[in-house]
Amino acid sequence: MFFRAFALVLWSVVLLAASEHRLVAPGFEVDFKVALPASLGEAAPRAVAWLPEDRWVITDEAGHRLLQWDRQESRVSRLAGGPTHGDRNGLPFSARFALPQGVALLPGGVAIADAGNHKIRFLAHEGNVSTLAGTGERGYLDESGHKALFASPLGVAASPEGRLYVADTFNHRIRVIEPDGRVVTLAGDGQMGLADGVGQSARFAGPSAIALSPQGQLYVADTYNHAVRVIEPDGRVWTLAGRGYSGYRDGAQPLFSHPLGLAYHPEGFLLVADSRNHAIRMVQRDGSAYTAAGGTRPGDRIGRGDRARFDEPVDLAVDGAGDVLVVDAKNHTLKLLRYRPE
């Protein structure tokens, strides 16, 4: 009995050591932190997108609003929505959202995954807020925009052609809003699971973010599968990284814990906001992963590589120069991560 217990303990230690194996990628440094001003009141930043002229849009799920960080002026301000939840189109400050999540740049404005309203909204550059798709009722239906149904969509990403991809999180599907307003299902059969395949024969478990590569591949943060999936232009779905269970391991067979945000870097790799591991991970085309910044322990610190600290990073976006803005959720801050190859 003693030896059996000892063997179980030893095996647990081996598994733990394997699941926390880290390889730190050189060249990454967190060197700037943006604190949200007290004048904004309670804020819970959730997602970010880069806009031209060095401005960033941030969704604030606690304040049911969109914020803007002007990097040149070093100022964070309210852009639209808030302070209470609701469902209203119109001018920016009279519009209402409910738990806004992912955000993406489209021609003429930004798209917002309005999760609490089960809608995809649009904020035009000239200011008006409108509804792209969804009725406000939770459900699943492929139809023209205002008849389509979603279930708490968390992520959006736009193609150069104006197609908007939606991580329809609790329908466990990836949907597309075509430029003509039609909503169609790209992948997932609606059942929670981990299965590769073509189109609707594949399965996801709470997909929460999407990133596009220049080659037209879609990367999906398959959150409850703790994996990164790929949808090819021909509809084939396959698993790039992750094993279907939570852990922390770099190398050829990496493990993640609740990945929530993705960004494709112009240097040709994918960055993952690995939320419960408090890390930003770098994933190569062959599926191998490395720690870019943070990891293992929560904290709040700038620094190089794994000396930096996050507390549940939930999203990130890359600007034209390759700098990365990270939403550090539980620290209620934004952190600037730079990559300078050594």
Side-chain angles (χ1 to χ4, degrees):
M1 187 72 177
F2 169 79
F3 290 106
R4 182 181 179 186
F6 178 76
L8 286 172
V9 170
L10 181 61
W11 179 241
S12 298
V13 171
V14 170
L15 284 175
L16 181 63
S19 69
E20 293 189 354
H21 176 64
R22 287 196 295 166
L23 299 171
V24 180
F28 288 95
E29 181 176 7
V30 177
D31 66 357
F32 190 76
K33 181 167 65 173
V34 183
L36 301 181
S39 60
L40 290 174
E42 182 184 3
R46 175 57 182 82
V48 63
W50 178 67
L51 302 180
E53 301 175 4
D54 218 4
R55 295 174 298 125
W56 304 75
V57 174
I58 304 107
T59 55
D60 170 18
E61 63 180 359
H64 309 287
R65 60 191 168 179
L66 306 184
L67 305 176
Q68 176 178 271
W69 177 46
D70 188 316
R71 187 172 173 182
Q72 298 300 321
E73 297 183 8
S74 192
R75 180 170 60 94
V76 179
S77 58
R78 177 184 169 203
L79 186 61
T84 59
H85 68 85
D87 184 3
R88 183 194 304 159
N89 293 325
L91 295 173
F93 292 162
S94 64
R96 292 290 180 269
F97 302 92
L99 302 174
Q101 303 288 310
V103 60
L105 180 63
L106 277 174
V110 293
I112 307 103
D114 192 6
N117 284 320
H118 313 292
K119 286 183 174 183
I120 306 300
R121 311 285 291 283
F122 183 73
L123 172 63
H125 289 319
E126 68 265 19
N128 278 350
V129 175
S130 59
T131 298
L132 284 179
T135 68
E137 177 185 351
R138 176 174 173 149
Y140 169 70
L141 181 65
D142 283 341
E143 252 288 3
S144 60
H146 292 177
K147 296 179 181 178
L149 298 178
F150 300 87
S152 300
L154 295 186
V156 287
S159 75
E161 301 79 29
R163 301 179 88 198
L164 187 69
Y165 297 95
V166 180
D168 193 3
T169 305
F170 291 103
N171 277 324
H172 312 293
R173 291 176 166 103
I174 305 302
R175 316 276 292 281
V176 185
I177 303 176
E178 300 286 2
D180 64 4
R182 289 179 302 116
V183 178
V184 298
T185 297
L186 179 66
D189 69 355
Q191 298 298 310
M192 188 174 181
L194 176 57
D196 294 337
V198 177
Q200 296 187 47
S201 68
R203 286 186 175 177
F204 301 88
S208 61
I210 304 172
L212 276 73
S213 78
Q215 295 75 34
Q217 294 173 309
L218 271 67
Y219 295 94
V220 179
D222 195 3
T223 301
Y224 297 124
N225 279 324
H226 312 285
V228 177
R229 315 286 293 284
V230 180
I231 305 176
E232 298 286 355
D234 63 5
R236 182 170 53 93
V237 180
W238 56 283
T239 302
L240 174 67
R243 310 282 287 180
Y245 52 88
S246 177
Y248 194 153
R249 184 170 66 209
D250 286 326
Q253 295 184 332
L255 299 177
F256 303 87
S257 184
H258 291 83
L260 284 174
L262 300 176
Y264 191 86
H265 197 277
E267 290 290 333
F269 52 80
L270 188 72
L271 290 172
V272 181
D274 191 7
S275 67
R276 299 286 176 83
N277 281 326
H278 314 290
I280 304 303
R281 313 282 293 281
M282 179 179 76
V283 179
Q284 302 281 23
R285 291 190 181 97
D286 63 1
S288 61
Y290 302 84
T291 296
T296 305
R297 297 183 304 277
D300 187 8
R301 185 170 69 199
I302 62 175
R304 292 179 64 85
D306 63 347
R307 291 184 58 81
R309 287 288 177 267
F310 304 94
D311 194 349
E312 293 203 11
V314 294
D315 197 32
L316 67 177
V318 183
D319 70 9
D323 291 340
V324 183
L325 193 65
V326 179
V327 178
D328 193 2
K330 288 195 173 179
N331 284 321
H332 305 283
T333 62
L334 310 169
K335 288 189 170 79
L336 195 65
L337 174 66
R338 301 181 194 270
Y339 177 61
R340 302 292 182 265
E342 296 179 354

